[in-house]
Amino acid sequence: MPDSSTIVIIGSGLAGYTLIREIRKLDKTVPITLVTREPGYFYSKPMLSTALASKKEAGQLITTASEGMASQLEINILSQTDVSAIDTAAQMLQTSAGHIPYGKLVLALGADQLRIPLEGNAVSEVLTVNDLADYEKFRQAIVGKKKVAILGAGLIGCEFANDLVLGGYEVDVIDLAPQVLGRLLPEAAAQALQNKLSDAGVHWHFSTTVKTVNRNGDVLEILLANGDSIICDVTLSAVGLRPRVDLAKAAGVKTGLGIQVNRELETSSSNVYSLGDCAEVDGLVLPYVMPIMQAARALAPTLLGTVTMLSYPAMPVMVKTPALPTVVSPPAQGADGQWKTSTLEGGIEARFEAPDGKLLGFALMGSATTQRAALTKELPPILQSLS
């Protein structure tokens, strides 16, 4: 068991393991214990929405087993271990493996797939894919099947839709918004992606939601709020993520949208930090790869005694839709400006410009994605450096 000088990290996702790698670049010997309810293997979570067409089994997505991670990073891994409570005063975790003391604690808990309230006798059959075990279950569910319905036309919904049609499935996508990627793309760019995915075989049902999901013999029947119905074999929910805050909240740590942290990634409780999909920095919860990398690079030295403030540069998001490759850097919420869209040979360039012409965001599609690096340099940082 670790002693009270140990850095203890809860969560074996990208955030937890990236942070450990950053710590090990700076200090080879500081004791680190990773506590996870998963097996502790490392895999690329972003690949979950793009591995079906290439017929990847869940096991093929694992790059390193738990034992390999423990050896490679010289850490202690407590796998398949549930944390039930945090005593912040005593600096102690209560877990299924006993009590674990910590010197510094990092919550890299991730997020859960949102579940919208549904009715019908097959609600329990609606699947989500949020980890490798979920992916395996979904893969098994679609074997020998033809039709898949997806709830949600956001980032994950679009990526799964593209991957499934490439794999030969018929796909219906339902979303309350009037377009794909409603929070990320301007209308013209969204229409272009929607058209390309339609050409690939995706059927869209916008401005409506699912009322009931019922099993009718060998098929599922989905009734929409607009009165339409969809017959499918499997239903996948991809309507968004909810940061895991319950463990922190129960320990008296301040939470909002996520676990609230300052620019040093410290929570309201001393020696307790957070990063990744569960963390809220200055009101921002950014469940993407690049913010995790930035946070890990800042938190590693802080945990080792060199306090480092987190800053976020502009961080474009890649949408993995081969039908129309897309890179988007949305403007800050409430930013003053407007979208200007140009059609190029084989692509679309959409710029969100302030009244003075400054670039505040962009969406690049197809051939225009080659401009990503150049335009990113023009963007303001998401979180300004405080130095």
Side-chain angles (χ1 to χ4, degrees):
M1 282 297 160
D3 62 34
S4 58
S5 67
T6 302
I7 297 170
V8 175
I9 297 165
I10 307 175
S12 60
L14 185 66
Y17 272 131
T18 302
L19 174 60
I20 293 168
R21 287 191 176 104
E22 292 298 326
I23 293 171
R24 283 292 179 244
K25 287 177 187 175
L26 303 171
D27 189 318
K28 305 291 186 194
T29 60
V30 64
I32 301 173
T33 292
L34 180 70
V35 185
T36 176
R37 63 188 187 191
E38 293 192 359
Y41 42 49
F42 184 76
Y43 67 97
S44 171
K45 190 172 180 181
M47 282 192 69
L48 295 179
S49 58
T50 61
L52 291 162
S54 50
K55 297 182 167 50
K56 296 258 187 209
E57 298 285 349
Q60 292 175 280
L61 299 183
I62 297 171
T63 53
T64 313
S66 173
E67 298 78 14
M69 295 305 290
S71 165
Q72 187 184 106
L73 297 168
E74 296 187 58
I75 60 173
N76 177 33
I77 298 179
L78 296 177
S79 60
Q80 294 174 319
T81 300
D82 284 307
V83 179
S84 52
I86 303 167
D87 183 337
T88 57
Q91 297 201 178
M92 187 78 70
L93 302 183
Q94 187 177 313
T95 82
S96 55
H99 288 84
I100 299 173
Y102 64 84
K104 289 188 169 68
L105 176 66
V106 180
L107 305 176
L109 307 174
D112 289 310
Q113 286 278 348
L114 279 171
R115 288 275 192 174
I116 56 174
L118 300 171
E119 296 178 0
N121 65 22
V123 171
S124 63
E125 295 185 49
V126 176
L127 301 175
T128 60
V129 175
N130 199 38
D131 58 31
L132 209 54
D134 290 343
Y135 173 80
E136 177 62 22
K137 188 176 179 182
F138 182 62
R139 265 198 112 265
Q140 293 303 320
I142 62 174
V143 170
K145 302 294 195 299
K146 289 191 181 337
K147 298 185 177 183
V148 179
I150 298 174
L151 317 187
L155 189 74
I156 303 302
C158 285
E159 289 182 354
F160 265 113
N162 202 155
D163 203 38
L164 284 161
V165 291
L166 284 174
Y169 293 90
E170 294 177 39
V171 179
D172 286 87
V173 180
I174 307 113
D175 201 296
L176 198 52
Q179 64 170 60
V180 301
L181 297 176
R183 295 178 186 169
L184 293 175
L185 292 181
E187 187 180 347
Q191 189 66 52
L193 179 58
Q194 182 183 320
N195 291 345
K196 286 291 187 181
L197 287 170
S198 294
D199 292 344
V202 179
H203 306 286
W204 304 101
H205 309 266
F206 290 117
S207 304
T208 190
T209 188
V210 176
K211 283 186 72 175
T212 61
V213 183
N214 285 298
R215 162 102 8 227
N216 188 353
D218 289 340
V219 298
L220 295 173
E221 187 170 356
I222 297 174
L223 179 64
L224 304 182
N226 65 6
D228 292 345
S229 64
I230 296 167
I231 302 298
C232 64
D233 300 307
V234 177
T235 304
L236 177 70
S237 179
V239 295
L241 296 171
R242 184 180 71 86
R244 292 177 180 145
V245 301
D246 294 348
L247 183 65
K249 203 171 187 176
V253 174
K254 283 187 182 172
T255 62
L257 289 171
I259 299 169
Q260 293 178 334
V261 295
N262 60 21
R263 294 287 287 275
E264 295 164 29
L265 295 172
E266 188 170 26
T267 69
S268 59
S269 293
S270 182
N271 291 320
V272 180
Y273 301 79
S274 185
L275 83 164
D277 294 359
C278 66
E280 177 186 339
V281 189
D282 273 12
L284 296 173
V285 177
L286 301 174
Y288 306 113
V289 171
M290 286 305 295
I292 288 174
M293 300 300 189
Q294 293 292 327
R297 286 183 202 124
L299 184 52
T302 295
L303 294 173
L304 296 170
T306 303
V307 174
T308 304
M309 297 287 184
L310 172 66
S311 59
Y312 283 148
M315 297 178 289
V317 176
M318 291 187 67
V319 186
K320 298 184 291 296
T321 44
L324 186 61
T326 298
V327 179
V328 57
S329 186
Q333 200 166 3
D336 182 22
Q338 61 180 2
W339 284 101
K340 296 179 180 176
T341 305
S342 313
T343 303
L344 313 173
E345 177 85 29
I348 285 179
E349 177 190 321
R351 301 166 61 99
F352 187 91
E353 295 179 356
D356 63 2
K358 281 185 182 163
L359 187 68
L360 300 180
F362 64 72
L364 305 173
M365 315 182 89
S367 61
T369 56
T370 57
Q371 299 175 56
R372 171 189 173 183
L375 292 188
T376 300
K377 288 176 186 172
E378 294 183 40
L379 293 175
I382 296 170
L383 276 181
Q384 187 79 44
S385 171
L386 297 177
S387 56

